[in-house]
Amino acid sequence: MQDFKNMIQIAGVRDAAEALMMGDAGVTHLGFPLRLAVHREDLSEREAAAVIALLKPSVEPVLITYLQKADSIVRLCRILGVRIVQLHGNISITELSRLRQNAPELAVIKSLIVRGNNQKELIATASCYARLVDAFITDTWDQQTGACGATGKVHDWKISRLLADCSPKPLILAGGLGPENVRQAILEVRPAGVDSHTGVEGPDGRKDEGRVRAFVAEARAAFRELKRLP
């Protein structure tokens, strides 16, 4: 069973050098966005599989996808060699049940997308899906592009805190996180883990080692502080 406690994930890997740098910096999970509804993919599926094969055991690869059919999800996970899938599409309960039945070895993270004050809808969704997933991830909707992740936008952390408190499964926080705000975000939301994508990139769109290391250091410090809080 996957343990998402103190998870530090960075998504959007460009190549092997970038992946290895982030692993050395202390990132615990690397997200590979593929089969997307909005964003352009950073790597082809073949390139992603080659990068994943080079990762150290301490770094867990995660497929991030908008796929909604169980068979397609399982097939892509096995091609890539991943044990965790993060679902951002509107997958039905029926398909998610098929996914759990056909690939019980996969850990499933289901996105909960914050669109303004839709906390009641998200609480209902979390309750409905909880028995079929291993964790939830909150992220921010971009009204202009329709993107449900990698928007670089922060949402209302009070909503994520509410979900973290009421969800029977671990909650991972995403949405506009970088080294400047990840510590505050963790202390306010108290999530199991955090995720960043554009927040650790430089002007060229590549992951900046200094920002990655600062993000990891700030997240670790906040998780340590959480242990001391009541």
Side-chain angles (χ1 to χ4, degrees), residues 200-223:
V200 292
E201 291 177 353
D204 60 355
R206 294 184 62 85
K207 300 298 185 287
D208 179 88
E209 183 172 358
R211 292 186 64 77
V212 170
R213 290 188 178 276
F215 183 84
V216 171
E218 289 293 312
R220 284 177 172 171
F223 285 133

Short mmCIF file of all heavy atoms in Angstrom, two decimals, residues 200-223:
data_model
loop_
_atom_site.label_atom_id
_atom_site.label_comp_id
_atom_site.label_asym_id
_atom_site.label_seq_id
_atom_site.Cartn_x
_atom_site.Cartn_y
_atom_site.Cartn_z
N VAL A 200 7.97 25.68 -9.58
CA VAL A 200 9.41 25.47 -9.40
C VAL A 200 10.16 25.59 -10.73
O VAL A 200 11.29 25.12 -10.86
CB VAL A 200 9.70 24.10 -8.74
CG1 VAL A 200 9.21 24.09 -7.30
CG2 VAL A 200 9.07 22.96 -9.53
N GLU A 201 9.52 26.21 -11.70
CA GLU A 201 10.15 26.37 -13.01
C GLU A 201 10.80 27.74 -13.15
O GLU A 201 10.37 28.73 -12.53
CB GLU A 201 9.10 26.20 -14.12
CG GLU A 201 8.59 24.77 -14.23
CD GLU A 201 7.51 24.59 -15.28
OE1 GLU A 201 7.04 25.61 -15.84
OE2 GLU A 201 7.14 23.44 -15.54
N GLY A 202 11.84 27.79 -13.97
CA GLY A 202 12.48 29.05 -14.30
C GLY A 202 11.79 29.70 -15.49
O GLY A 202 10.81 29.18 -16.03
N PRO A 203 12.29 30.83 -15.95
CA PRO A 203 11.69 31.54 -17.09
C PRO A 203 11.67 30.72 -18.37
O PRO A 203 10.84 30.96 -19.26
CB PRO A 203 12.58 32.78 -17.25
CG PRO A 203 13.22 32.97 -15.91
CD PRO A 203 13.41 31.60 -15.35
N ASP A 204 12.57 29.73 -18.48
CA ASP A 204 12.63 28.91 -19.68
C ASP A 204 11.65 27.74 -19.66
O ASP A 204 11.59 26.94 -20.59
CB ASP A 204 14.05 28.38 -19.91
CG ASP A 204 14.56 27.52 -18.74
OD1 ASP A 204 13.84 27.42 -17.72
OD2 ASP A 204 15.67 26.97 -18.86
N GLY A 205 10.88 27.61 -18.58
CA GLY A 205 9.90 26.54 -18.49
C GLY A 205 10.46 25.23 -17.97
O GLY A 205 9.72 24.26 -17.82
N ARG A 206 11.75 25.20 -17.67
CA ARG A 206 12.36 23.99 -17.11
C ARG A 206 12.41 24.11 -15.60
O ARG A 206 12.38 25.21 -15.04
CB ARG A 206 13.76 23.77 -17.68
CG ARG A 206 13.76 23.45 -19.17
CD ARG A 206 15.17 23.14 -19.65
NE ARG A 206 15.71 21.97 -18.97
CZ ARG A 206 15.49 20.72 -19.36
NH1 ARG A 206 14.74 20.47 -20.44
NH2 ARG A 206 16.01 19.70 -18.70
N LYS A 207 12.51 22.96 -14.93
CA LYS A 207 12.60 22.97 -13.48
C LYS A 207 13.93 23.60 -13.06
O LYS A 207 14.99 23.20 -13.53
CB LYS A 207 12.48 21.55 -12.93
CG LYS A 207 11.15 20.87 -13.29
CD LYS A 207 9.95 21.60 -12.73
CE LYS A 207 8.64 20.88 -12.98
NZ LYS A 207 8.18 20.94 -14.38
N ASP A 208 13.84 24.56 -12.17
CA ASP A 208 15.00 25.27 -11.66
C ASP A 208 15.50 24.57 -10.39
O ASP A 208 14.76 24.44 -9.42
CB ASP A 208 14.63 26.72 -11.36
CG ASP A 208 15.78 27.52 -10.80
OD1 ASP A 208 16.55 28.08 -11.59
OD2 ASP A 208 15.92 27.55 -9.56
N GLU A 209 16.76 24.12 -10.39
CA GLU A 209 17.25 23.33 -9.27
C GLU A 209 17.17 24.09 -7.95
O GLU A 209 16.80 23.52 -6.91
CB GLU A 209 18.69 22.88 -9.52
CG GLU A 209 19.21 22.00 -8.40
CD GLU A 209 20.56 21.37 -8.71
OE1 GLU A 209 21.08 21.58 -9.82
OE2 GLU A 209 21.09 20.66 -7.81
N GLY A 210 17.48 25.38 -7.97
CA GLY A 210 17.41 26.16 -6.75
C GLY A 210 16.00 26.22 -6.19
O GLY A 210 15.78 26.09 -4.98
N ARG A 211 15.02 26.41 -7.07
CA ARG A 211 13.63 26.47 -6.63
C ARG A 211 13.14 25.10 -6.16
O ARG A 211 12.38 25.00 -5.21
CB ARG A 211 12.74 27.02 -7.74
CG ARG A 211 13.00 28.49 -8.05
CD ARG A 211 12.00 29.06 -9.05
NE ARG A 211 10.64 29.06 -8.53
CZ ARG A 211 10.16 29.93 -7.64
NH1 ARG A 211 10.93 30.89 -7.16
NH2 ARG A 211 8.90 29.86 -7.24
N VAL A 212 13.58 24.06 -6.84
CA VAL A 212 13.19 22.70 -6.43
C VAL A 212 13.72 22.41 -5.03
O VAL A 212 12.98 21.93 -4.15
CB VAL A 212 13.70 21.65 -7.43
CG1 VAL A 212 13.51 20.24 -6.87
CG2 VAL A 212 12.97 21.78 -8.76
N ARG A 213 14.99 22.69 -4.81
CA ARG A 213 15.58 22.40 -3.50
C ARG A 213 14.94 23.26 -2.40
O ARG A 213 14.71 22.78 -1.28
CB ARG A 213 17.10 22.61 -3.54
CG ARG A 213 17.81 21.56 -4.38
CD ARG A 213 19.32 21.65 -4.28
NE ARG A 213 19.95 20.59 -5.05
CZ ARG A 213 20.16 19.35 -4.59
NH1 ARG A 213 19.81 19.05 -3.34
NH2 ARG A 213 20.73 18.43 -5.35
N ALA A 214 14.63 24.50 -2.72
CA ALA A 214 13.97 25.37 -1.74
C ALA A 214 12.57 24.86 -1.43
O ALA A 214 12.12 24.89 -0.28
CB ALA A 214 13.93 26.80 -2.26
N PHE A 215 11.86 24.39 -2.45
CA PHE A 215 10.50 23.85 -2.26
C PHE A 215 10.55 22.64 -1.33
O PHE A 215 9.75 22.52 -0.40
CB PHE A 215 9.91 23.47 -3.62
CG PHE A 215 8.50 22.97 -3.56
CD1 PHE A 215 7.43 23.86 -3.56
CD2 PHE A 215 8.23 21.61 -3.53
CE1 PHE A 215 6.12 23.41 -3.51
CE2 PHE A 215 6.92 21.15 -3.48
CZ PHE A 215 5.86 22.05 -3.47
N VAL A 216 11.48 21.74 -1.59
CA VAL A 216 11.62 20.54 -0.76
C VAL A 216 11.95 20.92 0.68
O VAL A 216 11.37 20.38 1.64
CB VAL A 216 12.69 19.59 -1.34
CG1 VAL A 216 12.99 18.46 -0.37
CG2 VAL A 216 12.23 19.02 -2.68
N ALA A 217 12.89 21.84 0.85
CA ALA A 217 13.30 22.25 2.20
C ALA A 217 12.14 22.88 2.96
O ALA A 217 11.93 22.59 4.15
CB ALA A 217 14.48 23.22 2.12
N GLU A 218 11.39 23.75 2.30
CA GLU A 218 10.26 24.42 2.95
C GLU A 218 9.15 23.42 3.30
O GLU A 218 8.54 23.49 4.36
CB GLU A 218 9.72 25.52 2.05
CG GLU A 218 10.62 26.73 1.91
CD GLU A 218 10.75 27.50 3.21
OE1 GLU A 218 9.72 27.78 3.84
OE2 GLU A 218 11.89 27.80 3.61
N ALA A 219 8.90 22.49 2.39
CA ALA A 219 7.86 21.49 2.64
C ALA A 219 8.26 20.59 3.81
O ALA A 219 7.45 20.31 4.70
CB ALA A 219 7.61 20.66 1.38
N ARG A 220 9.49 20.13 3.82
CA ARG A 220 9.95 19.27 4.92
C ARG A 220 9.87 19.98 6.26
O ARG A 220 9.45 19.40 7.26
CB ARG A 220 11.39 18.82 4.65
CG ARG A 220 11.52 17.73 3.60
CD ARG A 220 12.98 17.42 3.36
NE ARG A 220 13.17 16.25 2.50
CZ ARG A 220 14.33 15.87 2.01
NH1 ARG A 220 15.44 16.55 2.31
NH2 ARG A 220 14.42 14.81 1.23
N ALA A 221 10.26 21.25 6.27
CA ALA A 221 10.21 22.03 7.52
C ALA A 221 8.77 22.15 8.01
O ALA A 221 8.50 22.04 9.22
CB ALA A 221 10.82 23.41 7.30
N ALA A 222 7.84 22.36 7.08
CA ALA A 222 6.44 22.50 7.47
C ALA A 222 5.87 21.18 7.98
O ALA A 222 5.11 21.16 8.96
CB ALA A 222 5.62 23.01 6.28
N PHE A 223 6.22 20.08 7.34
CA PHE A 223 5.74 18.78 7.81
C PHE A 223 6.28 18.48 9.21
O PHE A 223 5.56 17.91 10.05
CB PHE A 223 6.13 17.67 6.83
CG PHE A 223 5.32 17.65 5.56
CD1 PHE A 223 5.93 17.54 4.32
CD2 PHE A 223 3.94 17.73 5.61
CE1 PHE A 223 5.18 17.51 3.15
CE2 PHE A 223 3.17 17.70 4.45
CZ PHE A 223 3.80 17.59 3.22
#
